[in-house]
């Protein structure tokens, strides 16, 4: 009866040793530990909060900009830019025309305009720079129309990632606090090896006892 039990213990021990390798546990545990280590900075509580702040406070508001970043609006603003150019041409012709109409030298007309119509004068003087700046802005918008059209889909795509990071941060801390995953194989192998050794000792001792009993029975039978 004891020998049968020892054989069962031996089978369990061998199974504990073989099973982790049959399941590929060493490689999988190593991969799991590498993943835990790699995600540690990302899943840090402060980093998760920073990520969510960027998403909700910076990127989500970009969704409100999308309606303005359309080709239709760019075409409309290009019309405004053409108007700036036309105003610039008229501004160049305005002083000579006024000079002729008022019978005044152009320098006097310019001085009169600067004194009496300061705002218009300043705007006309700044018009070339305004036209250049506005042209650059429209070029930037034109180059990024396709990018901004993807913003709504991008926000929808990344929202589950951000919410999952927020929801699972505490669970990640629990998992990362476990012993090194590479030790998991040994959690099976070491007890299995102990059971194998105990079973072999039990079988060996049991066999010696059986041999001793057999020898004693033989002597008793011979003596009888």
């Amino acid at each position: 009866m004891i020998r049968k039990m020892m054989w069962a213990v031996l089978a369990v021990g061998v199974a504990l040793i073989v099973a982790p390798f049959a399941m590929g546990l060493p490689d999988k545990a190593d991969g799991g530990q590498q993943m835990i280590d790699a995600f540690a900075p990302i899943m840090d509580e402060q980093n998760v909060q920073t990520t969510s702040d960027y998403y909700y406070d910076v990127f989500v508001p970009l969704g409100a900009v999308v309606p303005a970043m359309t080709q239709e609006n760019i075409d409309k603003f290009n019309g405004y830019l053409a108007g700036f150019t036309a105003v610039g041409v008229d501004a160049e012709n305005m002083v000579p025309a006024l000079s002729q109409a008022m019978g005044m030298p152009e320098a006097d007309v310019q001085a009169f305009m600067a004194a009496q119509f300061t705002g218009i004068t300043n705007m006309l003087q700044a018009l070339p720079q305004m036209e250049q700046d506005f042209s650059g802005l429209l070029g930037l918008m034109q180059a990024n129309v396709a990018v901004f059209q993807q913003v709504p889909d991008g926000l929808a795509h990344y929202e589950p990632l951000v919410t999952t990071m927020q929801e699972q941060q505490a669970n990640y801390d629990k998992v990362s606090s476990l012993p090194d995953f590479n030790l998991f194989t040994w959690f099976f192998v070491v007890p299995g090896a102990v059971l194998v050794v105990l079973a072999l000792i039990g079988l060996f001792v049991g066999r010696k006892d059986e041999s001793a009993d057999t020898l004693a029975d033989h002597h008793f039978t011979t003596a009888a």
Side-chain angles (χ1 to χ4, degrees):
M1 180 64 180
I2 294 178
R3 284 181 61 80
K4 290 182 179 180
M5 184 180 299
M6 289 298 101
W7 280 111
V9 171
L10 179 63
V12 172
V14 171
L16 287 174
I17 295 173
V18 173
F21 298 97
M23 294 185 299
L25 184 57
D27 183 60
K28 293 177 181 178
D30 182 62
Q33 186 59 48
Q34 290 187 42
M35 182 182 68
I36 291 294
D37 293 341
F39 273 91
I42 297 173
M43 292 302 293
D44 175 75
E45 182 177 2
Q46 183 59 48
N47 188 71
V48 171
Q49 183 61 51
T50 301
T51 300
S52 63
D53 288 343
Y54 271 124
Y55 180 78
Y56 291 110
D57 298 339
V58 178
F59 300 124
V60 170
L62 285 177
V65 181
V66 173
M69 298 293 290
T70 63
Q71 189 60 51
E72 180 181 1
N73 278 341
I74 291 175
D75 292 340
K76 180 171 64 176
F77 294 151
N78 274 320
Y80 298 156
L81 183 60
F84 284 170
T85 302
V87 169
V89 173
D90 289 344
E92 292 178 358
N93 298 327
M94 183 174 62
V95 172
L98 288 175
S99 174
Q100 184 177 0
M102 299 171 65
M104 297 172 57
E106 291 187 10
D108 292 343
V109 171
Q110 290 176 340
F112 173 78
M113 290 286 297
Q116 299 298 321
F117 304 100
T118 305
I120 294 177
T121 301
N122 291 338
M123 185 192 73
L124 292 176
Q125 290 175 345
L127 197 59
Q129 185 63 49
M130 292 169 59
E131 184 177 355
Q132 181 179 343
D133 293 343
F134 200 65
S135 178
L137 175 61
L138 287 177
L140 184 63
M141 291 176 64
Q142 181 72 63
N144 290 281
V145 167
V147 174
F148 270 86
Q149 296 309 306
Q150 299 179 63
V151 168
D153 289 340
L155 292 174
H157 175 80
Y158 283 104
E159 183 178 12
L161 173 63
V162 176
T163 55
T164 299
M165 289 176 65
Q166 292 176 303
E167 294 170 356
Q168 298 301 318
Q169 194 272 322
N171 288 333
Y172 176 86
D173 286 345
K174 294 176 183 177
V175 173
S176 64
S177 66
L178 291 171
D180 192 306
F181 280 20
N182 291 307
L183 297 175
F184 285 0
T185 300
W186 299 104
F187 291 165
F188 290 89
V189 172
V190 171
V194 171
L195 290 179
V196 168
V197 171
L198 291 176
L200 291 176
I201 292 174
L203 290 171
F204 178 75
V205 172
R207 185 171 183 180
K208 286 182 63 177
D209 290 343
E210 288 181 0
S211 298
D213 290 343
T214 301
L215 182 61
D217 290 341
H218 176 71
H219 286 305
F220 178 77
T221 302
T222 302

